[in-house]
DNA sequence: TAAATTGTTCATTTTTTCTTGAACGCGGGG
DNA sequence: CCCCGCGTTCAAGAAAAAATGAACAATTTA
């Protein structure tokens, strides 16, 4: 029922990792435990071993599944879903990009488009000129991100 | 004293951007205002125009300077520091990597080293074997990160 | 079909993070 | 030498994010 030293260590490792990514601790706990566990685990096993509420575990698993970071495996003779960690770094990164980065990037681009239309109304004075240049700079940044970020997944073959 | 529509738009843009990076809103506000401002601004101008406390502005600028995202420019006849936005994407990314990512990555590697020593004590049973493999997997991930992340800065030439 | 088991949702509470503002230190001028 | 302007620090308060747990579907099985 308690966790071994190794399990605690691995879970801790993932907790720090997901915090870097801006995700809640519970996500790291769940993924970490699944990562070290030889067997797939059902939701209530996660709750018990991690001292976590059913609600947290359910929400955490939902997000992890959306990333493709855990998969549900059918276990014959058991009505419950059992979960397993996906451990291919490339897939984890791809899932994170798709679910977290891309949507925000798109949103940012919409915002930028609105800014550009505002920019059209700028004066031809020095200040207006400067600000138009800055908006162009933002456009270039946006373009670069679209080019470079997808490459990242590729580098992890 | 108030902000123009464009200024609000740009600031908003950067506020969302820094949130993606896990940084506080105030950082985005400061950088955003400096980014659209043709002139360099002293601390108290930032406070006034952003309705922000001196404490926040000071701390925000400190972090932004550590990133190399703003530079202090000397203004003759004025005892105050004046600040300007650094707008080269490559440098911004490099600064963020250096100040935020690399330290956490190093910390993670220390943790991993500890885990590996724990792993030495694992049994030769199936479970121990499985967990040893997982630790190897973590080592490979760590190695990949060390290889790939530095490349990112390079791609932004 | 009733009862039991599994998992989800969401309002509330708890925890964490950010901001504030007052106190402090430092360096000039007067 | 003392005062004043500028900036930093940090304890306390405010705001934001996450966890809880109870209510609710859905699905099985008895």
């Amino acid at each position: 029922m308690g966790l071994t030293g190794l399990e605690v260590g691995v879970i801790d490792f993932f907790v720090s990792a997901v915090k870097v990514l801006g995700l809640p601790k519970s996500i790291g706990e769940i993924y970490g435990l699944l990562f070290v566990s030889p067997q797939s685990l059902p939701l209530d096993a996660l709750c018990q071993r991690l001292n976590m509420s059913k609600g947290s575990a359910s929400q955490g698993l939902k997000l992890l599944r959306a990333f493709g970071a855990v998969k549900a495996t059918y276990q014959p003779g058991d009505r419950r879903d059992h979960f397993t960690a996906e451990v291919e770094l490339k897939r984890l990164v791809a899932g994170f990009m798709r679910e977290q980065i891309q949507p925000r990037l798109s949103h940012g681009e919409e915002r930028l488009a609105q800014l550009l239309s505002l920019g059209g109304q700028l004066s031809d004075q020095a200040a207006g000129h400067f600000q138009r240049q800055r908006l162009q700079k933002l456009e270039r940044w946006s373009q670069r991100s679209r080019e470079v970020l997808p490459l990242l997944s590729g580098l992890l073959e």
Side-chain angles (χ1 to χ4, degrees), chain A:
Chain A
M1 182 90 323
L3 298 165
T4 69
L6 183 71
E7 284 168 340
V8 171
V10 171
I11 289 169
D12 246 48
F13 180 87
F14 281 106
V15 166
S16 324
V18 301
K19 282 202 159 175
V20 172
L21 304 178
L23 299 172
K25 182 167 90 146
S26 58
I27 298 283
E29 294 175 320
I30 296 168
Y31 184 82
L33 181 53
L34 292 176
F35 186 90
V36 277
S37 294
Q39 332 76 5
S40 64
L41 300 173
L43 186 143
D44 59 340
L46 291 170
C47 296
Q48 286 184 247
R49 305 201 63 200
L50 296 169
N51 281 315
M52 174 183 291
S53 69
K54 211 159 47 127
S56 272
S58 174
Q59 289 182 182
L61 284 168
K62 182 180 176 180
L63 188 62
L64 285 166
R65 269 176 297 176
F67 288 166
V70 311
K71 36 190 210 291
T73 63
Y74 179 70
Q75 205 82 346
D78 195 335
R79 191 135 76 75
R80 300 169 298 178
D81 286 329
H82 286 240
F83 299 96
T84 305
E86 164 64 59
V87 299
E88 291 308 314
L89 185 55
K90 196 202 167 190
R91 290 196 192 157
L92 297 175
V93 172
F96 184 73
M97 291 291 216
R98 172 170 36 77
E99 298 295 319
Q100 303 273 294
I101 307 299
Q102 294 295 354
R104 306 201 202 204
L105 217 61
S106 309
H107 185 236
E109 283 174 20
E110 290 173 28
R111 290 281 199 76
L112 184 49
Q114 294 171 359
L115 280 182
L116 291 172
S117 71
L118 269 184
Q121 306 159 15
L122 283 170
S123 79
D124 281 332
Q125 314 289 84
H129 180 64
F130 176 89
Q131 295 185 325
R132 251 196 290 275
Q133 283 188 322
R134 284 289 146 108
L135 292 179
Q136 283 185 301
K137 181 66 84 173
L138 279 186
E139 271 188 290
R140 267 176 268 138
W141 287 9
S142 170
Q143 210 175 313
R144 273 291 167 73
S145 317
R146 274 198 305 276
E147 293 164 8
V148 169
L149 288 182
L151 277 174
L152 229 172
S153 311
L155 288 174
L156 292 168
E157 282 301 345

